[in-house]
Amino acid sequence: MSNNNISRHISGQFNIELEAIRTHVLAMGGLVERQLTDALHAIHYQDLDLAKQVIKEDHKVNSMEVSIDEACTRIIAKRQPTAGDLRLVMAIIKTITDLERIGDVADSIARTTLENFTNQQQPFLVSLEALGRKAARMLHDVLDAFARMDVEAAMKVYRSDDDLDREYEAIVRQLMTYMMEDPRSIPNVMKVMWAARAIERVGDRCQNICEYIIYFVKGKDVRHTNREEMEKLLK
Amino acid sequence: MSNNNISRHISGQFNIELEAIRTHVLAMGGLVERQLTDALHAIHYQDLDLAKQVIKEDHKVNSMEVSIDEACTRIIAKRQPTAGDLRLVMAIIKTITDLERIGDVADSIARTTLENFTNQQQPFLVSLEALGRKAARMLHDVLDAFARMDVEAAMKVYRSDDDLDREYEAIVRQLMTYMMEDPRSIPNVMKVMWAARAIERVGDRCQNICEYIIYFVKGKDVRHTNREEMEKLLK
């Protein structure tokens, strides 16, 4: 076998392995997305069975993180990727950390669901709905952008976090008003407050994933740069 | 030059580069530790100048994260580390993410400091002191464990998070009582509540770093395993 053939062979095998990892990441993303939407559905409709199921499934997200991480370390040690291939592996290692944390958010919302809210407290929970829908949308869209490594789509998700932040600020104000009007409601409203905060953080995690997509495609680390610089990069 | 000499040469050069990265991580850890203690001092003593300085310095933490990350990717591409060397690089990549987030906590506490609390609100801020001291201690100790890659010390830090969690729960109860007794205090108490939450999260981040130390030394990913399994590993 000529050297050339060997290198083609290695590269072919490498691509198969890398593709397997990427598929695994997309499966993990799909699971996390389902966990999040289920948790949001559970808290909104007070569906305790669904909440319990989300809590039960969380370990699957965790073990996917660990096994993808292992696969990434293995491919680096065995195949010694460079340039774009290495950037993809690095982007994957970081992406799964954020996905796992979004999984934790789903788990924590599910646990809040089990806290036995009374009928009077339903309005607090309802206020989470629009926020949750926006966060779930961001997650869906960033996973889509990741699957296609589409920088434009990633940038669109990135920008949409402003919208989520505004919604979050509005909810915080509303919940503070509830608490001031009826101090006895404070312990329960606080639970909803934590849930709102957790959902808002999903947006930040999605923004992180956008940055990894840009890092992979453009070869530039855009974390901690401002929005204008990011936009310029895409022109 | 014999092959043997070359390999010794490469490995020597590799060690120098890896050592430089490790030193850089320790410097980043030192900076983050100072940022956190300064922020805690600032909020406790209402030192607005110190708070502004913490906010101003945050970009240094960020750029250290980016440059260490770059150095790690470069060393992987150029030196193709395997086994323990690769695990160290991986542990570093993950550690700096958590350090940067602790830097964000310092920044956010500093921003809370600037919110102009009145004298009556001082008791809320004072309640953060013991919590902050415990979190700063954990960070100090985990950086020390990281510098020596000392698994026993890491495990000790890991366990101490229980203590931080208990302190946090007590503060939350206390702050809720304040709010219920004086609903007008709610907006300001909420700011302290967020700060307490952020400080409590520092403990979780330190626990993550403990897990990376164990991963490097023992070659086993202990995330998402329970405490008993971790303890068994160290026997």
Side-chain angles (χ1 to χ4, degrees), chain A residues 50 52 54 65 91 95 108 142-144 160 174 177 195 206 214 220 227:
Chain A
L50 188 57
K52 283 177 198 153
V54 169
E65 183 197 14
T95 295
S108 123
V142 81
L143 289 170
D144 196 51
S160 69
Q174 191 191 3
T177 310
C206 290
I214 295 171
K220 190 166 158 49
R227 181 90 56 96

Coordinates of all heavy atoms in Angstrom, one line a residue, chain A residues 50 52 54 65 91 95 108 142-144 160 174 177 195 206 214 220 227:
Chain A
L50 N -45.1 13.6 34.2 CA -44.1 14.0 33.2 C -42.8 14.6 33.9 O -41.7 14.3 33.5 CB -44.7 15.0 32.3 CG -43.9 15.5 31.1 CD1 -43.5 14.3 30.2 CD2 -44.6 16.5 30.2
K52 N -41.7 13.7 36.8 CA -40.9 12.6 37.4 C -40.1 11.9 36.3 O -39.0 11.5 36.5 CB -41.8 11.6 38.0 CG -42.3 12.0 39.4 CD -43.3 11.1 40.0 CE -44.0 11.7 41.2 NZ -45.4 11.1 41.4
V54 N -38.9 13.3 33.5 CA -37.8 14.2 33.2 C -36.6 13.9 34.2 O -35.5 13.8 33.8 CB -38.2 15.7 33.2 CG1 -36.9 16.6 33.1 CG2 -39.1 16.0 32.0
E65 N -22.9 12.9 27.9 CA -21.8 13.9 28.0 C -20.5 13.2 28.2 O -19.5 13.4 27.5 CB -22.0 14.9 29.1 CG -20.9 16.0 29.2 CD -20.9 16.7 30.5 OE1 -21.5 16.3 31.5 OE2 -20.2 17.8 30.6
A91 N -14.9 22.2 19.6 CA -16.2 22.8 19.6 C -17.2 21.8 20.2 O -18.1 22.2 21.0 CB -16.7 23.2 18.2
T95 N -19.5 22.3 23.5 CA -20.9 22.3 23.3 C -21.6 21.3 24.2 O -22.7 21.6 24.8 CB -21.2 21.9 21.8 OG1 -20.7 22.9 20.9 CG2 -22.7 21.7 21.6
S108 N -34.1 20.7 37.0 CA -34.4 21.5 38.1 C -35.9 22.1 38.0 O -36.6 22.2 39.0 CB -33.4 22.6 38.3 OG -33.9 23.9 38.2
V142 N -30.5 26.5 17.7 CA -29.0 26.4 17.8 C -28.5 25.0 17.5 O -27.5 24.8 16.9 CB -28.4 26.9 19.1 CG1 -28.5 25.9 20.2 CG2 -27.0 27.4 19.0
L143 N -29.4 24.0 17.8 CA -29.0 22.7 17.5 C -29.1 22.5 16.0 O -28.3 21.8 15.4 CB -30.0 21.7 18.2 CG -29.8 21.6 19.7 CD1 -30.9 20.8 20.3 CD2 -28.4 20.9 20.0
D144 N -30.1 23.1 15.4 CA -30.2 23.1 13.9 C -29.0 23.8 13.3 O -28.4 23.2 12.3 CB -31.5 23.9 13.6 CG -31.9 23.6 12.2 OD1 -32.0 22.4 11.8 OD2 -32.1 24.6 11.4
S160 N -31.2 36.6 19.2 CA -32.5 36.5 19.8 C -32.5 36.4 21.3 O -33.5 36.5 22.0 CB -33.2 35.2 19.2 OG -32.6 34.1 19.7
Q174 N -42.8 41.4 37.5 CA -44.2 40.9 37.8 C -44.2 40.0 39.0 O -45.0 40.2 39.9 CB -44.6 40.0 36.6 CG -46.1 39.6 36.6 CD -46.3 38.5 35.5 OE1 -45.4 38.1 34.8 NE2 -47.6 38.1 35.3
T177 N -43.8 42.1 42.1 CA -45.1 42.8 42.5 C -46.0 41.8 43.2 O -46.6 42.2 44.2 CB -45.8 43.3 41.2 OG1 -44.9 44.0 40.4 CG2 -47.0 44.1 41.5
A195 N -36.8 29.3 38.8 CA -37.1 28.6 37.6 C -36.9 29.6 36.4 O -36.3 29.2 35.4 CB -38.5 28.0 37.6
C206 N -27.1 28.7 25.0 CA -27.3 28.7 23.5 C -26.4 29.6 22.8 O -25.8 29.3 21.8 CB -28.8 28.9 23.1 SG -29.9 27.6 23.6
I214 N -19.2 29.4 15.4 CA -18.4 30.4 14.7 C -16.9 30.1 14.8 O -16.2 30.2 13.8 CB -18.7 31.9 15.3 CG1 -20.2 32.2 15.0 CG2 -17.8 32.9 14.7 CD1 -20.7 33.5 15.7
K220 N -12.1 31.5 14.5 CA -11.8 32.6 15.5 C -12.7 32.5 16.7 O -13.9 32.2 16.7 CB -12.1 33.9 14.7 CG -11.6 35.1 15.5 CD -11.6 36.4 14.7 CE -11.7 37.6 15.6 NZ -10.7 37.6 16.7
R227 N -20.8 42.3 20.2 CA -21.6 41.9 19.1 C -21.2 42.5 17.7 O -21.2 41.8 16.7 CB -23.1 42.4 19.4 CG -24.1 42.0 18.3 CD -24.8 40.7 18.6 NE -25.3 40.6 20.0 CZ -26.6 40.9 20.3 NH1 -27.5 41.1 19.3 NH2 -27.0 40.8 21.5

